[in-house]
């Protein structure tokens, strides 16, 4: 019984770490994946590098998007590097 008593604080530490650190991080990752999956043409995005531009093309198989950062200047960006979507476009009816 004493051995179990010694492990209780260790078990409590792991439970607190899970609730305060691991679970919120998993939730944040799921939200980011959903945001990236919902990207479409016309969305205004910010990349992790700080570039702000408008999505002009979404390549499904390559996990790439094409972002126009200025008139006539387009760059290819990996979808997962999109940090934030500023303006969502409404789906065509």
């Amino acid at each position: 019984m004493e051995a179990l008593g010694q492990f209780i604080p260790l078990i409590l530490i792991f439970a607190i770490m899970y609730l305060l650190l691991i679970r919120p991080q998993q939730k944040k990752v799921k939200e980011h994946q959903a945001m990236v999956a919902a990207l479409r043409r016309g969305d205004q995005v910010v990349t992790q590098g700080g570039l702000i531009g408008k999505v002009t093309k979404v390549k499904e198989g390559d996990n790439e998007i094409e972002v126009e950062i200025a008139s006539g200047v387009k760059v290819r960006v990996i979808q997962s590097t999109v940090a934030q979507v500023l303006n969502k476009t409404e789906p065509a009816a």
Side-chain angles (χ1 to χ4, degrees):
M1 197 64 178
E2 281 185 32
L4 183 62
Q6 291 176 348
F7 285 112
I8 289 177
L10 190 59
I11 292 169
L12 286 174
I13 289 172
F14 280 118
I16 290 170
M17 292 289 282
Y18 176 77
L19 290 173
L20 294 178
L21 296 175
I22 297 170
R23 224 171 130 228
Q25 184 66 26
Q26 288 175 339
K27 183 179 177 186
K28 187 176 178 182
V29 167
K30 283 182 183 178
E31 288 172 355
H32 183 263
Q33 288 174 342
M35 177 192 68
V36 168
L39 284 175
R40 64 176 169 258
R41 196 168 162 255
D43 292 349
Q44 190 172 9
V45 296
V46 178
T47 66
Q48 290 178 355
L51 293 175
I52 299 174
K54 187 175 283 193
V55 177
T56 57
K57 187 187 298 182
V58 178
K59 298 180 182 178
E60 297 297 327
D62 298 336
N63 291 328
E64 285 183 6
I65 57 174
E66 192 172 272
V67 178
E68 184 175 27
I69 56 176
S71 293
V73 181
K74 296 179 182 177
V75 293
R76 289 176 26 206
V77 178
I78 302 296
Q79 280 185 338
S80 61
T81 63
V82 172
Q84 184 180 6
V85 177
L86 297 176
N87 293 331
K88 289 287 290 175
T89 56
E90 295 301 319

